[in-house]
Structure formats: C-alpha cells, structure tokens
Amino acid sequence: MPFNGTFLFFDLTAMYNFLSFQIHGGADHGDGSGMADGLSSLLAFIEGLTAQTPGGIFATLMPGITAMANIHPMLVHFPIAFLVTFFVLDTVAILANKIAWRKIASWFLYLGTVAAGFTVLAGFIAADSVPHGDNVHEIMERHEHLGIWVLSLATILSVWRYKAGESLRGVANGLFMFTSALLCLLLSLGADLGGLMVYKYGVAVAATPVPEITGHHHNTDEE
C-alpha cells in the first residue's frame, strides 16, 4: 500500500498516545485504563506500520529526517556531544590522575573526529543545495570555516593522542589541553552561527502557518 499522509497522521497519533502515557505514568487513570489505552495505542501503531511500504514505515518512524532537505542539521549533534565529552572527561582525568579515564576520553575524541568529518561533508552539500540570501551568505561562510577548523584540530589531536598515548606530561600535555579547549571554543562558535541561520533567518526551514487554536500555551505565569 503506498504511503500517504493519512497513515502518517494515524500512526504518529497512536505513537504519541502511547508515549504520552509512558511519560505521565497514567496518573489520570487511577483504574488502570491508562495502561490499557497505552497498549491499545501501541498495537494500533504497529498495525498501521505493517500496512505500509518500507518507505512509508521509514517516513512514519523518522518524520523529521524525511522532511529534511539535507541531513547536516541531524549530524551536527554528534561531534558536539563526542568532542565536548572528550574534553570534560580528559580534564577530569588529569585532575584525578586517572589514566584509564583518559583512555576512555580518547575514544570520544576519535568518534568526534569521524562525526565531524561526516558533518562537514554534509555541510558542504547543504551549502550548495539550500537557498539563502546575501544576508546569510557571510554567516554561512564563517560557519563553514569554523567547521573546517574544528575538523582540522580534531584530526590533529586524534593523531597526536594515538601516537603519544594518554601519558602526556608537562608542556606537551598543557599544549594538548589548550588545543582541546580551543577546539571546544570553535565548536561552540560554529554551533552558535548554525543556530543563528536557522532560528533568526530560517535557513532550510519550511515555515507553516500556526493554527489559531485557543487554550494552548506554555506560559505558566498566567493561570
């Protein structure tokens, strides 16, 4: 059966109902009906998936990726998470004098470098395919340059770490940690420019009108 929006809406609604029960614990249903409703929604969601094509199943499970013009916004989270974790864990390991922790930090560095490579590549593809005006072009160029610097420093640190191991001491270790801190700084600046392009200028965002529905707001100051 070909994929269509009706099935996507049905399956996402069923999945939301099930996950909503898991999050809130069924507190609104003291008689146990909340669990039954959650299970019913899960079964309905699975049943809806079985009636779809493989492409429809992927679109239902991953609607965000399906709607993306490119995967660069999804990939950027991985180098940020890996490289920041590397720096924090490596710093704590030095202060606590734990070589074993530095070995674990090394793996976060290697994973972050690989992730940065894929992210920069996807970024180049996105820059050539995403429409943007002159007011954004300079920001995008700076974002690209920072991404290249992050990848370059991460690669240098990875090779250095692989060659020297985790037992760096003295001036060499100080220089290594300074470069790691610089890496995280550039990573933060690049992420900030990426957020600026998306949230202020709407780059690669397909805007949809907000329906006029009363009674739905997140402002807890007004009761």
Side-chain angles (χ1 to χ4, degrees), residues 134-148:
D134 294 336
N135 59 334
V136 177
H137 186 73
E138 183 179 352
I139 299 175
M140 186 174 291
E141 288 289 320
R142 288 162 52 198
H143 179 70
E144 287 182 2
H145 294 160
L146 287 170
I148 295 172

Side-chain angles (χ1 to χ4, degrees), residues 92-168:
V92 173
I94 291 174
L95 296 176
N97 194 25
K98 299 288 187 180
I99 296 297
W101 294 1
R102 295 201 80 180
K103 291 181 179 179
I104 298 175
S106 297
W107 283 105
F108 281 105
L109 172 60
Y110 302 149
L111 290 172
T113 302
V114 173
F118 284 110
T119 302
V120 169
L121 178 60
F124 283 133
I125 297 174
D128 293 333
S129 61
V130 174
H132 59 277
D134 294 336
N135 59 334
V136 177
H137 186 73
E138 183 179 352
I139 299 175
M140 186 174 291
E141 288 289 320
R142 288 162 52 198
H143 179 70
E144 287 182 2
H145 294 160
L146 287 170
I148 295 172
W149 271 107
V150 167
L151 176 59
S152 300
L153 288 180
T155 302
I156 292 172
L157 289 172
S158 294
V159 174
W160 189 354
R161 188 63 156 253
Y162 182 79
K163 294 290 185 180
E166 291 78 19
S167 57
L168 284 171

Side-chain angles (χ1 to χ4, degrees), residues 42-54:
L42 176 62
L43 293 176
F45 172 69
I46 296 175
E47 182 180 3
L49 287 180
T50 60
Q52 297 186 36
T53 63

